[in-house]
Amino acid sequence: MNAYCRIPLAAIALLCTHAHAAALTSPDRHISVDVVVSSTGTLTYAVSRDGKPVILPSALGLQLKGADLSGKLSLAASSPVKPVRDTYELATAKKRRITYSANEQTHTVRNAAGQAMDVTFRASNDGVAFRYVVREPKLGLKQFVSESTSFAFDPASKAWLQPMSVAQTGWSNTNPSYEEHYQREIAVGTPSKLGAGWVFPALFRTGDTWVALTEASMDGSFHASRLASESPNGVYRLAPPAAPEVFTNGALLASAKGDLVTPWRIVTLGSLKTLVESTLGTDLAAPSISFSKARVQPGHASWSWALLKDDGTVFDTQKRFVDFAADMKWDYTLVDADWDRKIGVDKLRELVKYADGKKVGILVWYNSSGAWNKTEYSPKGALLTPAQRKKEFARLRELGVKGVKIDFFAGDGQSMIAYYVDLLKDAADAGLLVNFHGATLPRGWSRTYPNLMTVEAVRGFEFATFEQADQDAVVAHAAMLPFARNLFDPMDFTPMVFGDIPKIKRATRNGFELAESVLFLSGIQHFAERPEGMATAPGYVKTLLQDLPRSWDDVRFIDGYPGRYAVIARRSGDSWYVAGINADGAARKVDLDLSFLGARSGTLIADGDTERSFTQAPIKAGKTTISIKPQGGFVAVFK
């Protein structure tokens, strides 16, 4: 592979191929995909940007029971290139009105037994996507066995990756939940320290090109994948989930009686600005199911559990947090685990009625789990069957509850992915919003299921309240998230505390905490702060948080570097919010090019002289330089 990879792409067909399809290019012709069947029947693809290799020749293919479609292949046909154009709206993403344009081509290959497989590629101006379809009518049940798909990088490339946790480890056997720290700027080929692989999105830099790998369009028929733990010479292979990652007695790997269709595998590539502004993770997701637009209500929520933990899940405390949400003009209050035992249905009805009078919606927690972990929090086991879900969701609807937070899933097996999808569909039928915790990466589900407001799938703020080590690490971790976990999908990090954390010394300044409210994308932003901490902030900070948009219309990347700092601008209507954080231990000067704002003037809220103070000052658009304090941040508002 190494010698093969050093050959210029244009020469590959002449030197070592049996069949070489014409290159597929993006609409702007900067990105090119070469698909090759070698003389030995190996199917590969390669991706270049402006003529420079990005993904070196990498393997394609599937192994099914009774059909080896990974080798000894011949190219049977290549379809004409056709343009693809799609438009859609999202209320929980970085952009509201989204247009996707790409060029598409399908290659049909056959093995020695004459069995066929289609591989469809799409090239857009911000990346490449591909998926497999096996329609072979003579193969009745199509059972997935393994996959050859790989992503080969130049050995000099660097990676920013989160290890996959080992299934059935962690508190009460609740792993994997995509809740590890990132390994930042490591050499490609570095093995995963946990041995269970690497999660999506996976971030790389090769030459002057940034790459984010992920997948999308998970309809419940296929398992979710990850990158394998071992990546010799910078070649990352797709790997399946581990055996325990299933619904009780459910399937681990995909199978189909009809067509076997894989998710889209996505290679977003370009400048860092291209990645941060890209929507490929939802562009390749399936279109929306039917769900009332009136019920798609993004917003902000108060949440007692972040700082008060289990002791806060009592009626009087939840009533106080409803008052807090009303005072902050927030939309929801989340009532967490054990509400059924500590509050009860009758008092929940009373709380819902009280909250409704203050124009605050109530969200309630559920334990997803059956036998796959040892958690005892309740309500538990109430959502495992269609009949149970229909009954439970109907009761919540009758109570006036707006949505559910469902926690503690088993991983990425096909049967568990199907469980997620069934929950989303049944909740949609009941008109309920959904938040998944202890969960997998949603992989574009927020487009397909508009009732999905957010998903954890991150080592969120709650971890930084348990151990000082996690608190100390949260600064660099937070500066990774806009470039990886939160790149495409909504993320329930549960940010923002201005006051003290019990038994923990906060590592961040207040400006850093405030900036998270804009930087982090979540359909419902569950704020961790409690009323006492909010009371320490000046009035102008409280006003900003009262007026903070519930969703965004557009995004612009201003500056940043994964794990070090991030500055991003978001638009809602005619207003722009520019937020930045600095994870370093020294002040950072950042050049802001805000020329796109014209001659506007705005207000800058940043860190004061102490770690727990703020300053407010005017700021003008155009080109300017600001200094961000160590572990600090800012928000600038232009209305």
Side-chain angles (χ1 to χ4, degrees):
M1 176 64 77
N2 288 341
Y4 180 63
C5 290
R6 287 195 295 268
I7 300 171
L9 290 177
I12 291 174
L14 296 175
L15 295 179
C16 54
T17 69
H18 174 72
H20 184 181
L24 176 69
T25 60
S26 58
D28 65 6
R29 305 191 68 81
H30 287 291
I31 295 174
S32 178
V33 185
D34 284 284
V35 177
V36 174
V37 180
S38 74
S39 57
T40 59
T42 300
L43 179 64
T44 64
Y45 75 103
V47 179
S48 62
R49 176 185 175 221
D50 293 329
K52 298 178 182 179
V54 175
I55 303 295
L56 305 179
S58 302
L60 294 168
L62 299 177
Q63 176 80 44
L64 307 183
K65 187 175 181 180
D68 185 353
L69 295 160
S70 63
K72 297 182 179 179
L73 302 172
S74 60
L75 182 63
S78 293
S79 72
V81 175
K82 68 174 184 180
V84 174
R85 185 176 175 85
D86 192 12
T87 58
Y88 60 99
E89 290 191 15
L90 267 181
T92 57
K94 64 182 81 171
K95 297 179 183 179
R96 180 173 294 274
R97 294 175 180 83
I98 299 170
T99 298
Y100 169 62
S101 298
N103 290 327
E104 179 182 286
Q105 188 172 35
T106 297
H107 306 288
T108 302
V109 294
R110 294 187 181 275
N111 61 14
Q115 296 167 316
M117 175 178 70
D118 290 340
V119 188
T120 298
F121 277 87
R122 287 184 181 178
S124 57
N125 293 345
D126 51 352
V128 170
F130 60 91
R131 71 177 176 186
Y132 306 95
V133 180
V134 180
R135 296 187 173 87
E136 187 57 50
K138 295 180 181 179
L139 194 64
L141 181 64
K142 301 170 182 66
Q143 292 180 273
F144 179 97
V145 175
S146 64
E147 185 164 354
S148 302
T149 305
S150 67
F151 307 87
F153 290 92
D154 184 283
S157 304
K158 297 294 184 182
W160 288 254
L161 302 173
Q162 181 191 147
M164 170 65 76
S165 53
V166 177
Q168 290 295 300
T169 64
W171 179 78
S172 293
N173 303 79
T174 52
N175 279 332
S177 298
Y178 291 65
E179 293 175 345
E180 301 297 323
H181 287 295
Y182 288 85
Q183 292 183 239
R184 302 187 301 275
E185 206 160 355
I186 59 176
V188 294
T190 302
S192 171
K193 63 181 181 180
L194 299 180
W198 304 103
V199 310
F200 292 131
L203 182 67
F204 299 85
R205 187 177 187 178
T206 178
D208 62 355
T209 297
W210 291 86
V211 178
L213 304 179
T214 190
E215 59 184 356
S217 198
M218 306 287 294
D219 63 2
S221 66
F222 217 88
H223 55 272
S225 299
R226 74 249 349 224
L227 298 179
S229 296
E230 302 287 336
S231 49
N233 301 313
V235 179
Y236 290 80
R237 287 192 60 175
L238 279 191
E245 298 180 44
V246 295
F247 193 91
T248 304
N249 299 321
L252 176 66
L253 303 178
S255 63
K257 292 181 179 179
D259 296 348
L260 181 74
V261 183
T262 72
W264 286 100
R265 280 61 195 265
I266 299 172
V267 184
T268 311
L269 63 103
S271 65
L272 205 53
K273 174 180 172 65
T274 297
L275 265 63
V276 171
E277 296 179 6
S278 171
T279 55
L280 270 186
T282 50
D283 294 342
L284 277 302
S288 172
I289 64 169
S290 178
F291 188 76
S292 170
K293 283 189 176 182
R295 290 189 175 274
V296 181
Q297 294 291 338
H300 303 137
S302 64
W303 179 46
S304 67
W305 195 91
L307 295 178
L308 302 183
K309 303 301 188 259
D310 295 343
D311 292 342
T313 309
V314 294
F315 181 83
D316 288 343
T317 300
Q318 296 310 305
K319 189 175 179 181
R320 185 162 64 93
F321 272 76
V322 168
D323 292 340
F324 179 37
D327 180 55
M328 294 302 300
K329 301 180 181 179
W330 293 345
D331 311 270
Y332 302 102
T333 293
L334 170 60
V335 184
D336 219 272
D338 279 351
W339 62 266
D340 58 327
R341 295 189 287 204
K342 293 184 173 183
I343 296 174
V345 173
D346 290 340
K347 293 295 282 185
L348 179 65
R349 185 188 303 275
E350 182 181 336
L351 184 68
V352 169
K353 184 177 181 180
Y354 177 79
D356 186 61
K358 292 179 173 284
K359 298 183 179 179
V360 174
I362 294 295
L363 312 168
V364 295
W365 185 97
Y366 276 80
N367 189 337
S368 78
S369 67
W372 48 81
N373 61 50
K374 299 177 181 178
T375 57
E376 295 182 358
Y377 283 120
S378 66
K380 177 171 179 166
L383 305 177
L384 294 173
T385 69
Q388 286 176 305
R389 290 192 293 273
K390 183 177 181 180
K391 179 180 178 181
E392 198 70 13
F393 289 164
R395 180 173 71 156
L396 294 179
R397 179 77 177 269
E398 186 271 329
L399 287 170
V401 169
K402 302 299 184 183
V404 289
K405 172 184 176 180
I406 309 174
D407 211 338
F408 304 139
F409 291 86
D412 288 341
Q414 180 271 319
S415 56
M416 188 53 59
I417 297 298
Y419 182 40
Y420 283 107
V421 170
D422 289 343
L423 286 166
L424 287 167
K425 289 179 178 177
D426 290 343
D429 288 344
L432 295 173
L433 306 179
V434 176
N435 170 11
F436 287 138
H437 263 234
T440 189
L441 182 78
R443 294 168 169 83
W445 275 336
S446 57
R447 178 186 177 186
T448 309
Y449 306 100
N451 59 319
L452 180 63
M453 291 289 102
T454 191
V455 176
E456 187 181 31
V458 66
R459 197 172 188 89
F461 170 78
E462 67 181 63
F463 284 91
T465 68
F466 297 139
E467 301 284 346
Q468 189 63 48
D470 264 315
Q471 176 62 215
D472 296 339
V474 78
V475 189
H477 180 62
M480 265 300 306
L481 300 177
F483 305 102
R485 164 61 183 93
N486 209 193
L487 196 59
F488 302 117
D489 295 297
M491 174 186 74
D492 198 24
F493 184 84
T494 66
M496 205 181 72
V497 167
F498 301 139
D500 295 327
I501 301 171
K503 300 178 182 180
I504 295 289
K505 184 182 185 302
R506 247 180 60 204
T508 57
R509 294 175 184 264
N510 275 3
F512 192 107
E513 294 291 310
L514 181 64
E516 289 176 339
S517 69
V518 175
L519 283 178
F520 294 165
L521 291 170
S522 182
I524 297 178
Q525 193 81 277
H526 296 88
F527 288 120
E529 188 54 280
R530 55 187 170 178
E532 294 83 355
M534 189 64 70
T536 67
Y540 56 81
V541 169
K542 181 177 178 179
T543 298
L544 185 150
L545 292 168
Q546 288 173 325
D547 296 341
L548 191 67
R550 274 58 177 160
S551 60
W552 302 103
D553 296 317
D554 204 357
V555 61
R556 283 182 183 253
F557 174 73
I558 305 299
D559 201 358
Y561 193 83
R564 301 287 302 280
Y565 71 108
V567 183
I568 295 172
R570 304 195 188 281
R571 179 177 64 83
S572 175
D574 293 329
S575 299
W576 280 92
Y577 288 69
V578 183
I581 55 175
N582 171 26
D584 289 349
R588 173 182 292 277
K589 287 188 175 181
V590 179
D591 295 325
L592 302 182
D593 186 354
L594 304 179
S595 302
F596 65 93
L597 295 174
R600 292 192 194 194
S601 295
T603 300
L604 174 70
I605 301 176
D607 292 290
D609 294 333
T610 66
E611 293 181 350
R612 301 294 178 262
S613 64
F614 288 99
T615 61
Q616 180 179 229
I619 183 174
K620 290 186 177 181
K623 294 184 178 181
T624 186
T625 300
I626 68 169
S627 179
I628 311 177
K629 291 185 181 295
Q631 291 90 43
F634 72 90
V635 175
V637 183
F638 297 85
K639 292 188 175 182

